[in-house]
Amino acid sequence: MCDKYHDLIAQSKVTTNDAEVSAAVEKILAEHLDENMNKEVYKLLFNTIDLTTLKGTDSPASVARFTERVNAFEEEYPELPNVAGICVYPNFAPVVRTVLDVSAVDVVCVSGAFPACQSFPEVKVAETALAVEGGADEIDIVLNLGNFLDDDYQEVCDEMIEQKHSCRDARMKVILETGALRTAENIRAASILAMNCGANFIKTSTGKEFPGASLEAAYVMCQCIKEHYEKTGEMVGFKAAGGVATTEDAVKYYTLVKEILGENWLNKDRLRLGASRLANHLLSDILEKEVKFF
């Protein structure tokens, strides 16, 4: 097939050899993981967390309580950086915006018929617009896997571009659902499409139907981000989500980002971790005692 999107992907020099990717990940971690297992890195990583509640039992009251914990953290641990964002379903954006007292913490909403991305395009666009209207600073949408796997890149991109438009000034993260894409070739293609449709971040996973984040997917995504930056000057962020639960898990992703993309990506504007369990594990390792704050 020949169109501008397939041509764009064909120009990429990022490896699509899965064995090469696995070997590269192993080499980076063997050489650099240990040096990053320290409290300064843990503090930085805590500040990249999108603290997440995406349950069927979420309610205005439960989301308000969830948000109050972030407010309370600011008071109880003033010497530590807070989380980067609070991630909720789009109908709860007004709740978080109303309750949240910490200006440095973003309101993040999943949108676009998360997690399956199965609805009318008009519904996805409307949901995103309503989330932004309700106070969302960032929108996490899902790449249309069905159209992608059908090789209909035009439809995939048209949908992302429309949702980007409905984000207005809010940042857009595109979830690739790498556990469904599976191969380095697919992950490379999806990364390139998302970035060329205006993604401010590319994100691994929803953490729902398919396997979550993997280090191999992160490696390919970061290489694509690097190539995109060298080509366009645009610094696209990376977000790992889905199963990033322990301190060591988080540091592994940090290590890949540091070695592939460099120091300019080691901050909450370029690196995010979507998590519900990670915050307490990082806090416990920072404070050297078991902490169950969130």
Side-chain angles (χ1 to χ4, degrees), residues 22-228:
S22 295
V25 169
E26 288 183 17
K27 184 174 188 294
I28 289 172
L29 295 181
E31 293 177 357
H32 299 287
L33 178 63
D34 288 348
E35 70 198 47
N36 296 322
M37 296 293 293
N38 62 74
K39 287 186 183 181
E40 290 309 306
V41 171
Y42 304 163
K43 290 176 184 177
L44 185 151
L45 287 170
F46 187 85
N47 188 228
T48 70
I49 291 175
D50 283 343
L51 197 66
T52 302
T53 180
L54 296 170
K55 301 191 295 287
T57 54
D58 288 343
S59 68
S62 72
V63 170
R65 290 192 298 271
F66 190 77
T67 305
E68 287 286 11
R69 294 308 289 161
V70 174
N71 292 339
F73 183 84
E74 194 83 355
E75 297 173 7
E76 295 192 32
Y77 297 97
E79 74 282 6
L80 296 178
N82 212 320
V83 295
I86 297 174
C87 184
V88 295
Y89 282 113
N91 49 308
F92 296 119
V95 176
V96 180
R97 176 55 67 204
T98 300
V99 176
L100 184 62
D101 292 334
V102 188
S103 60
V105 176
D106 290 327
V107 181
V108 183
C109 289
V110 296
S111 186
F114 176 96
C117 191
Q118 298 289 10
S119 189
F120 300 101
E122 296 85 353
V123 170
K124 300 175 192 179
V125 167
E127 185 178 50
T128 295
L130 287 166
V132 174
E133 182 70 23
D137 300 299
E138 299 181 350
I139 297 292
D140 290 21
I141 69 166
V142 187
L143 178 123
N144 192 315
L145 286 173
N147 288 339
F148 178 88
L149 294 172
D150 275 353
D151 212 32
D152 190 353
Y153 293 170
Q154 184 70 53
E155 190 64 33
V156 170
C157 291
D158 286 349
E159 193 172 288
M160 283 192 285
I161 289 166
E162 285 189 35
Q163 292 205 67
K164 175 67 173 178
H165 182 72
S166 66
C167 283
R168 290 179 285 181
D169 293 332
R171 291 178 290 277
M172 184 174 79
K173 304 193 195 86
V174 175
I175 305 167
L176 307 184
E177 201 67 292
T178 55
L181 297 179
R182 299 177 61 187
T183 66
E185 184 173 14
N186 281 339
I187 293 165
R188 181 183 74 170
S191 299
I192 291 168
L193 295 181
M195 290 188 290
N196 280 277
C197 291
N200 301 105
F201 277 77
I202 51 175
K203 174 179 171 181
T204 59
S205 320
T206 63
K208 298 296 184 183
E209 184 179 353
F210 300 99
S214 74
L215 295 164
E216 290 76 18
Y219 177 88
V220 175
M221 291 165 69
C222 287
Q223 291 289 356
C224 289
I225 290 170
K226 181 179 180 180
E227 185 178 68
H228 183 81

Side-chain angles (χ1 to χ4, degrees), residues 213-283:
S214 74
L215 295 164
E216 290 76 18
Y219 177 88
V220 175
M221 291 165 69
C222 287
Q223 291 289 356
C224 289
I225 290 170
K226 181 179 180 180
E227 185 178 68
H228 183 81
Y229 173 66
E230 290 171 348
K231 183 177 179 181
T232 68
E234 296 172 355
M235 298 177 71
V236 175
F238 167 78
K239 179 174 175 178
V244 185
T246 70
T247 296
E248 185 171 337
D249 289 339
V251 176
K252 286 179 179 178
Y253 287 100
Y254 169 95
T255 301
L256 291 182
V257 171
K258 180 180 179 182
E259 294 306 315
I260 298 168
L261 293 169
E263 297 285 342
N264 289 334
W265 268 262
L266 302 180
N267 57 73
K268 69 175 185 175
D269 292 328
R270 300 282 178 263
L271 172 62
R272 293 290 177 89
L273 300 171
S276 55
R277 295 171 290 167
L278 176 61
N280 285 333
H281 287 139
L282 280 170
L283 270 180

